[in-house]
Amino acid sequence: MAYSLPGFAGTSRYALYAGVAALALPAAAHAQDNAPAGVSIDGEDVETQQELERALGGNNVIVVTATKREQTLQEAPVSVSVTTGETLERAEIRDLIDVQTVSPSLRVSQLQNSATTTFIIRGFGNGDNNFGIEPSVGVFIDGVFRSRSAGAIGDLANVNRIEVLRGPQSTLFGKNASAGVISVLTREPQFEFGGSVSATYGNYDQMVFKGDITGPITDSVAFSIDGGINKRDGYVTELNSGEDINDRDRWNVRGQLLFDNNGPLRVRAIGDYSKIDELCCQVNNLVAGPTTPLVRLAGGDIVTNDFFSDTTYLNFLPVNEVESYGGSVQADLELGALNLTSITAYRELHNFQDQDVDFTGLDFIREIRDQDVETFTQEFRLTSNFDGPLNFLLGGFYFNEDITQASSIINGQDSRLFFDLLASALGGAAVPTPGTLAFAEGQLGLPNGSIFAPGPSTIENFSLSNESWSIFGTADITLLDDRLTLTAGFNYTDDKKDFALSQQSLDPLANINLADAYIIGAAGSAANFAALPAAQQQAIGQLAVTPCPAGVNNPAVCNPLLGLAALQFLPPFLEIPNAVEPGRTRDDNFSYTLRASFELTPELNTYFTYATGFKASSVNLSRDSRPVLGDYIPATVPAGVRAVVAGSRFLSPSSPIRDAGEDVTNLTTGTRFASPEDAKVYELGLKGNYPGISFNLALFDQTIENFQSFLFTGTGFTLLNAGEQSTRGFEFDTVITPADPLAFTFALTYLDATYDEFVGSVVGNLTGERPGGIPEFSIATSATYTHDFGASGNSLIGRVDYSHESNVEVNNGLPTYNARLGNSEIFRREVNLVNASLTLALANGLEVTGFVRNAFNERYILTVFDSVAQEGSVSGYPNAPRTYGGTVRFKF
């Protein structure tokens, strides 16, 4: 029968120390509290838990798999931070967002809704508010790639450990690991009956129930089932309805089967389902611009001058529904000195959101998105285990994914009134009044009441098909009595994307080019204009793009209509594929790793690595997708005139799109996709493991060329490539156990980040600037004390942890707000979080825990953006307030 360790009861101190060690040490730790058959430590088989504890012997020897091979923590020549399941329980960490408090090189943020979570490692990563964007940080759960963060943000269930691999990992993890990898590994089924149940109650009426059970079905088949429910009232009050938002309402269930008869074949099958149905997320006002009085004049309201009030105004409550489910089968076959591994997985993700995106109490802009993702992956690996100096790993990976999105921007009942007041204000009225839009409709020949009428303003359909395959491998040769190991690895990836985007733009004002309207008015018709002499055409064309000075509305000297361009938010969309743009990307890349590791002494190892990485092209699956300059060339307009005016069908010069008859009214340029990222890193590491103290140091110089930048501009998203972004720095981790009851961890990350080249950003030339949001110093430290009550097996465990991010600019400025101020007055934040817990662990398996997160109620800005359709205003996301509660857990 396959061997498994007995239950957790009575082993709290062992589990605690293993968790503390793994937290601080930079490798992918295999928590030994549920070691599978065949575990060996330092080459010796471990047959009992007592032997396991003796083998650990306080030296923090932990098996690692970050290189897809089993190695001890000290031997693994990689920079990885690890959080064990024990640490997750003690710190009351429930999802990947909270993992950043114990892993200083990792930053995680949840912004517009429950599905938009961004992962950043060493300052590299990008937004996930667009399903066409490839992640720079790959998330893997039990070896299966989760391609979109919406499929990875649910509560963590029955986790063994979480590994954060820092730096490019493309050699072994493929095209979506140019910045790093987050690998979540859950507990396998056991051949001895056991499990746990827990119940949590906290402030904001938080209720969390979790349970798992495992045991044998036969001598060679074991099962496990786990699940959880997490519900909590929101901590933000929506003042119109009196309801709460920023709540928690999610549940998950998972079943596993394990076949292991101690023979050559071992098979693990996993099926899981999770559901999120939440009211998320809070946005508050930071700067009340000139449109704020108009919101109030139209009957709405905004909370101003009180960013951390945990109150907001909306005209309806947001809807966030995320379903994620799928299954995987991992088969491991021993073939003598070779091991063959196969991981087959299929997953589906459904994401629906219905949100008030103006974030005011006025009913004027609403967005609906309905997104579906279907993903199939297959990985094969052949790994050698020769006695000689040479060993290898050879593998292949196949990825096939289909994404569809149906979305819409909807004008509310107050849209016309708000924009009518805005048009009046733009026209110079001291006291804005309605009537400007009606006058414009008369001048333009539009039906009365048609501009910004209630109902859909856009109807969008986007799709993306992605097929990718790769082959990868590593070879290790050991020399000098196994003290020196030389490693070479490679990955060749071929990636194909085919995408189609279509959109109906229904607002009649957005469908009129104001320069063309002037030209037709001046010439009488398009045919008349075409018949005029070139000099006269040029004169009329010049007036058509000349804005009128304040107080002047004479069409003989300027175009009085140009003021309306500020209201043309959603112009017509050029569908793709078309006669000029094929709607596809074709990428291939060869990445590699070269590494030398050396055992200086039995307690001290060092390594040097040079590695490259790759991230495939990302597609702008949004209404902001535009042809690149060259495929289409807009007309030349004076500075200060809105870009939509340059989409004149009379004045724009010859271009492939225009010559093919594909141009649409008000067409502007931008990007359809961002080109691939290429990463490289030089890394020098030192790892020491001595009685009472372990430490790890990694110095690195990491660069990404063509970094994919994705930024909100106030009315849409811009996707483009930065020329080059680099980060130099170090990561230092240590665990100190000065006495048996006491353990300290300390982790420090220093990042010197720079845009080496970023000329064309939406806020100007950022070359030489520090990328926003990347703190210079990050710290994660903890202290844990365990008091044993004699030989009873009962203990009291206290834990305090602290995380810090040094003061940093939240971003590099906002395209609208900061541009007017010469890119000054950029918002900043500093993070200082304290969490604590106290656990009474009894020998019979019962545990009672009290906890607090963000103990001192530290508040700070997560990020900021130009308020939607409210030029001059700034909105932002505040962090969560203090939470606290108690958990009762029973392990059997």
Side-chain angles (χ1 to χ4, degrees), residues 712-730:
F712 183 67
T713 62
T715 56
F717 288 90
T718 298
L719 173 65
L720 48 82
N721 291 103
E724 183 175 284
Q725 178 182 337
S726 65
T727 301
R728 299 167 183 84
F730 66 82

Side-chain angles (χ1 to χ4, degrees), residues 43 57 65 138 304 306 339 354 444 470 565 606 794 880:
T65 56
T304 56
D306 199 358
N339 293 281
D354 184 1
L444 296 170
S470 63
T606 186
N794 302 328

Side-chain angles (χ1 to χ4, degrees), residues 124-174:
F124 297 103
N126 44 29
D128 194 45
N129 202 18
N130 185 316
F131 272 21
I133 306 296
E134 293 268 352
S136 298
V137 176
V139 178
F140 292 78
I141 299 181
D142 289 320
V144 176
F145 177 49
R146 300 292 181 95
S147 65
R148 299 296 177 267
S149 65
I153 59 172
D155 282 8
L156 301 169
N158 211 18
V159 172
N160 186 2
R161 69 188 183 276
I162 299 174
E163 312 168 356
V164 179
L165 287 69
R166 304 178 289 217
Q169 305 294 326
S170 296
T171 298
L172 291 178
F173 290 90

Side-chain angles (χ1 to χ4, degrees), residues 437 439-447 450-452 505-521 544 559-573 642-650 664-668:
L437 293 185
F439 176 78
E441 287 163 346
Q443 293 295 303
L444 296 170
L446 298 175
S450 60
I451 299 176
F452 294 111
S505 298
L506 304 177
D507 183 70
L509 177 60
N511 281 272
I512 294 176
N513 182 272
L514 299 171
D516 290 353
Y518 177 92
I519 289 171
I520 291 174
N559 183 353
L561 299 174
L562 292 185
L564 294 172
L567 305 178
Q568 294 181 307
F569 300 109
L570 300 167
F573 184 88
R642 301 277 173 163
V644 291
V645 177
S648 165
R649 304 184 79 173
F650 288 116
V664 296
T665 300
N666 289 337
L667 183 60
T668 58

Side-chain angles (χ1 to χ4, degrees), residues 209-547:
F209 301 97
K210 299 172 70 174
D212 64 270
I213 188 170
T214 186
I217 298 176
T218 69
D219 286 347
S220 58
V221 178
F223 81 97
S224 69
I225 299 174
D226 60 74
I229 300 174
N230 185 350
K231 298 179 73 72
R232 188 201 68 208
D233 291 343
Y235 57 79
V236 177
T237 301
E238 196 287 301
L239 296 173
N240 272 334
S241 65
E243 299 289 335
D244 294 330
I245 66 171
N246 281 48
D247 66 341
R248 276 286 183 267
D249 188 355
R250 53 184 63 181
W251 63 275
N252 61 81
V253 63
R254 182 181 53 168
Q256 299 187 68
L257 289 175
L258 176 65
F259 170 80
D260 187 355
N261 64 356
N262 286 327
L265 179 64
R266 193 170 191 269
V267 181
R268 182 187 184 190
I270 306 173
D272 68 273
Y273 177 90
S274 65
K275 176 70 179 291
I276 296 174
D277 186 359
E278 296 176 347
L279 308 176
C280 187
C281 294
Q282 175 194 15
V283 169
N284 269 11
N285 177 269
L286 275 164
V287 176
T291 60
T292 301
L294 304 182
V295 170
R296 291 172 173 153
L297 186 61
D301 209 343
I302 307 175
V303 175
T304 56
N305 303 315
D306 199 358
F307 186 70
F308 298 112
S309 66
D310 291 331
T311 58
T312 190
Y313 281 102
L314 299 170
N315 66 278
F316 70 96
L317 300 181
V319 176
N320 294 170
E321 297 176 356
V322 184
E323 276 187 295
S324 178
Y325 54 88
S328 65
V329 176
Q330 176 171 337
D332 298 282
L333 178 64
E334 292 185 13
L335 301 168
L338 299 176
N339 293 281
L340 179 64
T341 297
S342 168
I343 303 177
T344 307
Y346 176 79
R347 301 203 59 80
E348 292 193 14
L349 171 66
H350 305 289
N351 178 49
F352 177 79
Q353 65 183 64
D354 184 1
Q355 198 153 18
D356 176 1
V357 293
D358 58 79
F359 304 110
T360 74
L362 202 64
D363 180 16
F364 77 98
I365 303 179
R366 173 181 201 152
E367 182 182 28
I368 293 176
R369 291 189 196 177
D370 193 353
Q371 299 165 310
D372 292 292
V373 184
E374 298 179 3
T375 309
F376 172 80
T377 58
Q378 173 64 59
E379 181 176 357
F380 291 106
R381 294 196 306 268
L382 184 66
T383 308
S384 71
N385 189 25
F386 300 139
D387 292 333
L390 180 65
N391 276 287
F392 71 88
L393 180 153
L394 184 64
F397 182 76
Y398 177 76
F399 174 87
N400 191 300
E401 182 170 78
D402 291 308
I403 299 173
T404 58
Q405 173 178 321
S407 48
S408 181
I409 293 290
I410 299 174
N411 293 331
Q413 296 298 319
D414 300 322
S415 292
R416 181 175 174 87
L417 175 58
F418 171 79
F419 288 115
D420 208 359
L421 294 172
L422 178 58
S424 176
L426 292 172
V431 180
T433 56
T436 302
L437 293 185
F439 176 78
E441 287 163 346
Q443 293 295 303
L444 296 170
L446 298 175
N448 186 45
S450 60
I451 299 176
F452 294 111
S457 187
T458 67
I459 299 175
E460 308 153 0
N461 288 281
F462 310 138
S463 65
L464 170 65
S465 294
N466 183 193
E467 184 175 39
S468 177
W469 61 268
S470 63
I471 55 174
F472 59 90
T474 60
D476 300 316
I477 183 168
T478 56
L479 305 169
L480 303 178
D481 296 325
D482 293 342
R483 295 178 63 193
L484 175 65
T485 301
L486 302 178
T487 301
F490 77 96
N491 183 299
Y492 176 79
T493 296
D494 183 271
D495 185 82
K496 299 177 181 179
K497 292 186 175 72
D498 294 280
F499 55 95
L501 295 84
S502 65
Q503 173 184 309
Q504 300 177 57
S505 298
L506 304 177
D507 183 70
L509 177 60
N511 281 272
I512 294 176
N513 182 272
L514 299 171
D516 290 353
Y518 177 92
I519 289 171
I520 291 174
S525 69
N528 289 346
F529 180 74
L532 292 175
Q536 195 170 353
Q537 288 184 1
Q538 184 177 0
I540 294 175
Q542 186 62 44
L543 289 174
V545 296
T546 300

Side-chain angles (χ1 to χ4, degrees), residues 724-781:
E724 183 175 284
Q725 178 182 337
S726 65
T727 301
R728 299 167 183 84
F730 66 82
E731 294 152 338
F732 176 74
D733 312 328
T734 186
V735 57
I736 303 172
T737 53
D740 280 348
L742 187 60
F744 297 101
T745 70
F746 178 81
L748 169 66
T749 296
Y750 168 76
L751 302 176
D752 179 14
T754 305
Y755 281 125
D756 302 300
E757 181 186 353
F758 196 3
V759 176
S761 87
V762 294
V763 293
N765 187 357
L766 293 178
T767 301
E769 299 291 325
R770 183 183 185 89
I774 303 175
E776 187 174 18
F777 290 98
S778 298
I779 295 172
T781 186

Side-chain angles (χ1 to χ4, degrees), residues 560-772:
L561 299 174
L562 292 185
L564 294 172
L567 305 178
Q568 294 181 307
F569 300 109
L570 300 167
F573 184 88
L574 176 59
E575 295 186 1
I576 184 171
N578 55 56
V580 176
E581 303 173 292
R584 65 172 181 258
T585 65
R586 299 292 185 264
D587 303 324
D588 66 298
N589 175 266
F590 183 85
S591 299
Y592 60 94
T593 297
L594 300 174
R595 179 184 294 123
S597 59
F598 186 70
E599 181 186 281
L600 299 170
T601 71
E603 298 81 19
L604 190 64
N605 285 10
T606 186
Y607 68 89
F608 176 78
T609 298
Y610 174 77
T612 65
F614 168 68
K615 173 184 170 183
S617 297
S618 288
V619 177
N620 194 353
L621 278 189
S622 80
R623 67 188 67 91
D624 310 299
S625 173
R626 298 285 185 269
V628 297
L629 182 65
D631 284 349
Y632 176 73
I633 302 174
T636 301
V637 297
V641 174
R642 301 277 173 163
V644 291
V645 177
S648 165
R649 304 184 79 173
F650 288 116
L651 304 179
S652 59
S654 172
S655 65
I657 285 177
R658 174 166 179 155
D659 296 346
E662 295 281 1
D663 57 322
V664 296
T665 300
N666 289 337
L667 183 60
T668 58
T669 58
T671 61
R672 298 293 196 179
F673 59 88
S675 300
E677 293 180 355
D678 292 305
K680 63 181 179 181
V681 66
Y682 299 89
E683 184 169 305
L684 177 64
L686 185 66
K687 304 175 123 187
N689 190 4
Y690 299 90
I693 183 170
S694 300
F695 69 88
N696 302 273
L697 175 66
L699 293 85
F700 58 88
D701 184 345
Q702 184 172 333
T703 301
I704 292 185
E705 295 182 2
N706 291 324
F707 178 76
Q708 295 172 2
S709 173
F710 185 62
L711 185 67
F712 183 67
T713 62
T715 56
F717 288 90
T718 298
L719 173 65
L720 48 82
N721 291 103
E724 183 175 284
Q725 178 182 337
S726 65
T727 301
R728 299 167 183 84
F730 66 82
E731 294 152 338
F732 176 74
D733 312 328
T734 186
V735 57
I736 303 172
T737 53
D740 280 348
L742 187 60
F744 297 101
T745 70
F746 178 81
L748 169 66
T749 296
Y750 168 76
L751 302 176
D752 179 14
T754 305
Y755 281 125
D756 302 300
E757 181 186 353
F758 196 3
V759 176
S761 87
V762 294
V763 293
N765 187 357
L766 293 178
T767 301
E769 299 291 325
R770 183 183 185 89

